[in-house]
Amino acid sequence: MSSTFGKLFCITTFGESHGTAVGCVIDGCPAGLFLSRDDFAADMARRRPGHGAFASARREDDEVEILSGVFDGKTLGTPIALMVRNTGHNSADYDDLRHVYRPGHADFTYMAKYGLRDHRGGGRASGRETAARVLAGVVAKKILEKMEVAVTAQVTAIGGITITGDFMQNAQVVALLEDCKQNGDSIGSQVVCSIVGLKSGIGAPVAHKLSADLAAAMHSIGGVKGVEFGAGFAAADMHGTQHNDPFVALGGIITKSTNNAGGILGGISDGDEIIMRIAFKPPPSIAAAQSTVDTDGKPAQITIKGRHDPVIAPRACVVVEAMAAITLVDHIMLDNAGRILS
Amino acid sequence: MSSTFGKLFCITTFGESHGTAVGCVIDGCPAGLFLSRDDFAADMARRRPGHGAFASARREDDEVEILSGVFDGKTLGTPIALMVRNTGHNSADYDDLRHVYRPGHADFTYMAKYGLRDHRGGGRASGRETAARVLAGVVAKKILEKMEVAVTAQVTAIGGITITGDFMQNAQVVALLEDCKQNGDSIGSQVVCSIVGLKSGIGAPVAHKLSADLAAAMHSIGGVKGVEFGAGFAAADMHGTQHNDPFVALGGIITKSTNNAGGILGGISDGDEIIMRIAFKPPPSIAAAQSTVDTDGKPAQITIKGRHDPVIAPRACVVVEAMAAITLVDHIMLDNAGRILS
Amino acid sequence: MSSTFGKLFCITTFGESHGTAVGCVIDGCPAGLFLSRDDFAADMARRRPGHGAFASARREDDEVEILSGVFDGKTLGTPIALMVRNTGHNSADYDDLRHVYRPGHADFTYMAKYGLRDHRGGGRASGRETAARVLAGVVAKKILEKMEVAVTAQVTAIGGITITGDFMQNAQVVALLEDCKQNGDSIGSQVVCSIVGLKSGIGAPVAHKLSADLAAAMHSIGGVKGVEFGAGFAAADMHGTQHNDPFVALGGIITKSTNNAGGILGGISDGDEIIMRIAFKPPPSIAAAQSTVDTDGKPAQITIKGRHDPVIAPRACVVVEAMAAITLVDHIMLDNAGRILS
Amino acid sequence: MSSTFGKLFCITTFGESHGTAVGCVIDGCPAGLFLSRDDFAADMARRRPGHGAFASARREDDEVEILSGVFDGKTLGTPIALMVRNTGHNSADYDDLRHVYRPGHADFTYMAKYGLRDHRGGGRASGRETAARVLAGVVAKKILEKMEVAVTAQVTAIGGITITGDFMQNAQVVALLEDCKQNGDSIGSQVVCSIVGLKSGIGAPVAHKLSADLAAAMHSIGGVKGVEFGAGFAAADMHGTQHNDPFVALGGIITKSTNNAGGILGGISDGDEIIMRIAFKPPPSIAAAQSTVDTDGKPAQITIKGRHDPVIAPRACVVVEAMAAITLVDHIMLDNAGRILS
């Protein structure tokens, strides 16, 4: 089940970067949810390359097809298969890469695992695969919306520069990205994901802590190098008197006066905002010349053709939201089931 | 399955801090592995409180009982049930806490989820539960040993002070901990986990990346606030030319000249050392007076009795190793099965 | 997960026939259910050997110990570990069987799978393992009771003789069993399991049909050779006009005027009584001399010592009920979770 | 996961009878298997309606599309998505059925579970869904072929008439089916599935006995009312001396001189032929007038339009083979992983 997320709200994605199509099967979506092709447009646009000065040139039309699970505009409770055909990719760009391992990519490890690979783009490791997750995320977010839970992810840093608002309005960031473009280089970035409106009591102790499952969901996104909650790594430097969040009651609701916990205690939501910070490495596809080896282990020099994103975070926000939403819906369902007697 | 780790090498833990016993069932251990009670002694000693000047005073005898799955000193391939009875705990220490929520603890969230709780200690959220994981970790490490894979975790920082070697030899750290003791306070810490000897090709793309499953395993440990691999959060500030690890061939083996990846590319091991950094919050059980609310939401002041660890990392290392080992064995099995035809 | 039943109401059993203990971990029982050791007495007595003229002589005290998951007489929502120590078995009876494969037993197949085995009794294949299932079944039945769902299994045939009521009142059956005892032989049997009170809409289409999961649960019991629902194998001889159950409305409730379906349509409960028939082979442990081979493949003659049950059904009824109840609770939970939006 | 079969060789099917497409995702197929569209032709032809005098008239072109997981004619080890568009169905035939529950169908239970349904055909309960299973079965059988394991299913009885060879050569059967056609009726049937070449030691004790998983796979097929192994229900009438299969050694291989076990002992293969008998009810879609209720519970009479199969077994054989093969591959993989140390 290396391509399935979740236990009750199960998302199975399929598709290689340069294969026929990418898509997903959502097994476990409740019946009666309104769903149409139009619902996918906004989020698919957010992850689409080719818009913005610094984005990858691949044109993806992303014509979403609902293959099953929807009738008369409503979900049936049965598996929803969603598909987007792959178009606009130029496989010839990858001919030179058939016998060489790109640094920072999964070419070598896929070969080590499978003994063969689709050398045209990253296969399953490609950012293209995330289109399937975004599709599933749209459905998950529609479910959360009905529960008034909002999941939002934002770029908070690029190359060490802190960002508030639109990163394209930040002159320092624009200059940095322009620099990357000139030098055939790329740059790392950070995203913060916020979950608001989740009631307390969602999650599980021990093996499926909400924090553990959210962290796994984030680390499943390509390029993620670190994930932290609330005070995060800074907590390692703090005292207990400083880190412990005092409980207070506001208008009859028990909450906390600070939120170093990041909204999760003992793996279970405490009703507060869940705050998660995610670190992305710089994209490994760079135009600058690189040393590597070929598939026989002989030294080689490569220059990666085509135009590639110089930074991951801007396009990854919608993927972060999708994965967080998918994880939440799965946990809410598990929790709902556990309360069968009450 | 909120208490089960793994898909093929399945570990289910059970037991509350102040209940009858804690233990685990290991379902999926191969037959023919030598296993006896003596195997557990060293690691159980490493996580045991009550030794060292700054450790919790709870005396745990940790008499391990093998209930099933072993015959004539060898594993049978059937479920191995392991159990340690709870002794030496003083439940009376917790009488005052029956109707109050301790800051930084899971009292409130367990109540929100279950509607009732065992107020004597943290129940499943207690560090006591990790004894069960350490038992399973011993078995996992024995399997890895046969494959010449070594998993080791070390304390690398306490309260912002970098540590090399034994933290008790570091005067600055000892002073800091002494300070905590005097002030009824606690302090955060960091651990680094290293995995050496794992061949390339272990892991999975997309949903069960080795990094994702290891991160989930780490975040399942109480007090963990952040996990990062290789360059980690620092990668967010790096350029691609700097972060990409060039492939090189050494003695016929393809490896990398640097290891910002931390031994995992695209969710699959690259044969290099896997490096994982884990941030622990300061233990929430502190002697200093704290503001909180009672179960009716009324303001309350509490002072936590008993002697508690002022720092998590030293005793957590063996738990980190256990969880890493359990995750690795599960992935190695999955990978082995996937190669059925080769 | 070869010893775990269920997805949400997960039962993991452990223990060999002649090991230290047998038991189970129930992960997913809702919080707040009253549970004490006394709850297990009645069902454990029903499966206990040694009572009745024709039962196995092994004395099992079956002192049930609740190791975790219960506090102040109520379930905590956390894993419930239950254990019964193995006593009263005479391992010496099995010394002769160390190097020989008993016909009809799993000695040979366990050896083929694991390469070693516990030769003292059937190990995991022993009827002793079902004690663990009965423990879990008691908890499942308590949950069903609150929903007014009743699960009952009865012996309906022994050696081709149809039975109504207590089989020990049937002179023909008593004579048959007496005969078996004289001749060192055993006899096959049948059980019918009835589930009353389950509302319509429980189950799933395609992969986890309620019928499929119930059938798997039944076939997981030692000695089961066939399972059928409603009209069962007789349906293969019927016409559609005869087999189709007409829908009717009785007092505003839609039901069926006949029940060839056996209470399940398309894998989902229809609100009617669920009827399941289970065929048991004659117990393979017989006193009569048998031809077989030893572990080296050389011809051997064996005579199985000790007193063994001449028929499975009487003691299996409580196991059938346990497995049916466990399966139902799991499905009810899944269904409950699927209705999250309604 | 109500539409996912298997743990390591995972098959998720999707698609309603009258929706856009049916298909499946195969997650866990090893890399390097040759696979092309042509591989599916033979088995898809076997399950296709519209050929033969007594088959359903729906014309299915069954143009198979491989959406992912195959490159250069070989599997990549990544998810294989397969799809067949739905064509040739006449949804108008079902207009009369929008507000009525067909006897013997899942219309009522789907409504009870989901609160809404696709009334055009059986939705997920339709025989059409089995096309997706046949696609996955083709891949499973290719894997088994490499291991020289053969799975074959045959019609052995229709309406109580025993069949050897092609049922269309049997005058009695042809007359019976002609009769059904005249009377707008249908008839029950039986299939025997044989697995030859599976080595001993495949399967698991307790929860995932090979017999239990095979039985579940069979009961997941629409219309199945009973499944038995080896002597099956007849074992309930037999003595132990008669039913126990003596072990013998033939040419150094340990086998059995009879096969009442049906090739499985204690849930694990014994190396002998696995024999499974499956009972199918008569198809519920009959032209004869039937009493039922409408969705408001009011009495109604219905006559089902269109031409439908009068018997299930002939077209179901390939589905039986597919489900058996999928289950076997999953178990072989699990077993392979369990032997990691040997």
Side-chain angles (χ1 to χ4, degrees), chain A:
Chain A
M1 289 195 197
S2 66
S3 292
T4 298
F5 297 96
K7 275 148 208 50
L8 285 184
F9 184 71
C10 297
I11 311 300
T12 302
T13 79
F14 62 84
E16 278 69 44
S17 168
H18 289 229
T20 301
V22 296
C24 66
V25 180
I26 304 170
D27 192 4
C29 180
L33 189 73
F34 287 99
L35 190 68
S36 75
R37 284 178 49 184
D38 296 344
D39 289 318
F40 301 100
D43 273 5
M44 288 301 273
R46 287 173 67 198
R47 77 157 288 291
R48 187 173 303 138
H51 61 163
F54 303 109
S56 148
R58 175 167 174 175
R59 236 190 64 252
E60 298 180 354
D61 286 330
D62 291 345
E63 196 71 32
V64 179
E65 199 174 359
I66 301 177
L67 297 172
S68 68
V70 176
F71 174 61
D72 272 355
K74 284 188 197 166
T75 58
L76 285 164
T78 56
I80 302 168
L82 303 168
M83 182 179 80
V84 177
R85 290 196 181 267
N86 289 326
T87 56
H89 51 265
N90 188 356
S91 299
D93 278 354
Y94 294 87
D95 283 353
D96 296 350
L97 301 173
R98 185 184 275 267
H99 301 298
V100 78
Y101 297 132
R102 290 171 298 167
H105 277 282
D107 303 344
F108 169 67
T109 54
Y110 270 52
M111 198 62 157
K113 181 175 174 71
Y114 297 115
L116 82 178
R117 68 184 176 102
D118 183 347
H119 67 279
R120 306 163 306 166
R124 293 290 283 160
S126 165
R128 179 67 182 156
E129 183 270 339
T130 62
R133 306 195 196 188
V134 169
L135 294 175
V138 164
V139 178
K141 284 197 275 186
K142 288 198 78 162
I143 294 172
L144 292 177
E145 214 169 89
K146 292 185 84 123
M147 299 173 165
E148 299 180 24
V149 175
V151 179
T152 45
Q154 281 183 286
V155 182
T156 50
I158 291 182
I161 306 166
T162 302
I163 292 168
T164 52
D166 181 359
F167 72 96
M168 294 295 284
Q169 304 297 325
N170 184 316
Q172 217 186 338
V173 167
V174 170
L176 174 61
L177 294 175
E178 189 60 44
D179 232 51
C180 286
K181 197 174 163 184
Q182 297 303 331
N183 303 334
D185 210 342
S186 64
I187 189 74
S189 51
Q190 283 197 40
V191 165
V192 164
C193 181
S194 154
I195 300 163
V196 173
L198 188 70
K199 67 174 183 176
S200 61
I202 302 297
V206 183
H208 285 286
K209 291 186 171 177
L210 186 53
S211 42
D213 283 2
L214 283 170
M218 294 304 118
H219 278 284
S220 79
I221 302 172
V224 170
K225 301 300 294 176
V227 174
E228 60 178 19
F229 293 86
F233 272 84
D237 299 350
M238 293 165 76
H239 279 90
T241 44
Q242 179 187 8
H243 186 272
N244 276 0
D245 302 309
F247 284 107
V248 293
L250 295 178
I253 303 292
I254 294 176
T255 181
K256 314 181 332 274
S257 57
T258 55
N259 191 13
N260 288 311
I264 300 174
L265 281 166
I268 299 169
S269 66
D270 64 15
D272 217 332
E273 183 183 8
I274 293 178
I275 297 175
M276 198 163 38
R277 244 172 320 274
I278 304 114
F280 286 92
K281 70 178 185 184
S285 286
I286 53 177
Q290 296 183 85
S291 295
T292 186
V293 297
D294 66 17
T295 53
D296 293 329
K298 298 211 190 87
Q301 288 283 316
I302 59 161
T303 307
I304 295 173
K305 290 181 194 166
R307 209 175 67 179
H308 297 274
D309 287 331
V311 59
I312 294 177
R315 283 181 61 203
C317 283
V318 69
V319 183
V320 164
E321 288 178 11
M323 293 311 304
I326 289 166
T327 307
L328 285 176
V329 171
D330 196 47
H331 266 280
I332 291 169
M333 283 191 175
L334 287 164
D335 189 69
N336 198 39
R339 295 192 186 186
I340 193 173
L341 287 177
S342 59

Side-chain angles (χ1 to χ4, degrees), chain D residues 8 57 115 156 162 200 220 227 248 253 315 328 334:
Chain D
L8 285 184
T156 50
T162 303
S200 61
S220 77
V227 174
V248 293
I253 303 292
R315 284 181 61 204
L328 286 175
L334 287 164

Side-chain angles (χ1 to χ4, degrees), chain A residues 27 68 78-79, chain C residues 205-207 209, chain D residues 2-3 12-17 22-23 110 114 121-130 132-133:
Chain A
D27 192 4
S68 68
T78 56
Chain C
V206 183
K209 290 187 172 175
Chain D
S2 65
S3 291
T12 302
T13 79
F14 62 84
E16 279 68 47
S17 169
V22 296
Y110 270 52
Y114 297 115
R124 292 289 283 160
S126 165
R128 178 66 182 155
E129 183 271 338
T130 63
R133 306 195 197 191

Side-chain angles (χ1 to χ4, degrees), chain B residues 22-148:
Chain B
V22 296
C24 67
V25 180
I26 304 171
D27 192 4
C29 180
L33 189 74
F34 286 99
L35 191 68
S36 75
R37 283 178 48 187
D38 296 344
D39 290 317
F40 301 100
D43 273 5
M44 288 301 274
R46 287 173 67 198
R47 77 156 288 290
R48 188 174 301 138
H51 61 162
F54 304 110
S56 147
R58 176 166 172 174
R59 235 191 64 253
E60 298 181 353
D61 286 330
D62 291 345
E63 196 71 33
V64 179
E65 198 173 359
I66 301 177
L67 298 172
S68 68
V70 176
F71 174 61
D72 272 355
K74 283 187 199 167
T75 58
L76 285 164
T78 56
I80 303 168
L82 303 169
M83 182 178 81
V84 177
R85 290 195 182 268
N86 289 327
T87 56
H89 50 263
N90 188 355
S91 299
D93 278 354
Y94 294 88
D95 283 352
D96 296 350
L97 301 173
R98 185 184 276 268
H99 301 298
V100 78
Y101 296 133
R102 291 171 298 166
H105 277 281
D107 304 344
F108 169 67
T109 54
Y110 271 52
M111 198 61 157
K113 181 176 175 68
Y114 297 115
L116 81 179
R117 67 185 177 101
D118 183 347
H119 68 279
R120 306 162 308 166
R124 292 290 283 160
S126 165
R128 178 67 182 156
E129 182 270 338
T130 63
R133 307 195 195 189
V134 169
L135 294 175
V138 165
V139 178
K141 284 197 273 187
K142 288 198 79 163
I143 295 172
L144 291 178
E145 213 170 272
K146 293 185 83 122
M147 300 174 165
E148 299 181 24

Side-chain angles (χ1 to χ4, degrees), chain C residues 2 113 185 188 203 207 241 244 290, chain D residues 2 113 185 203 207 241 244 290:
Chain C
S2 65
K113 181 176 175 68
D185 210 341
T241 45
N244 276 359
Q290 297 182 84
Chain D
S2 65
K113 182 176 174 69
D185 210 342
T241 47
N244 277 0
Q290 296 183 85

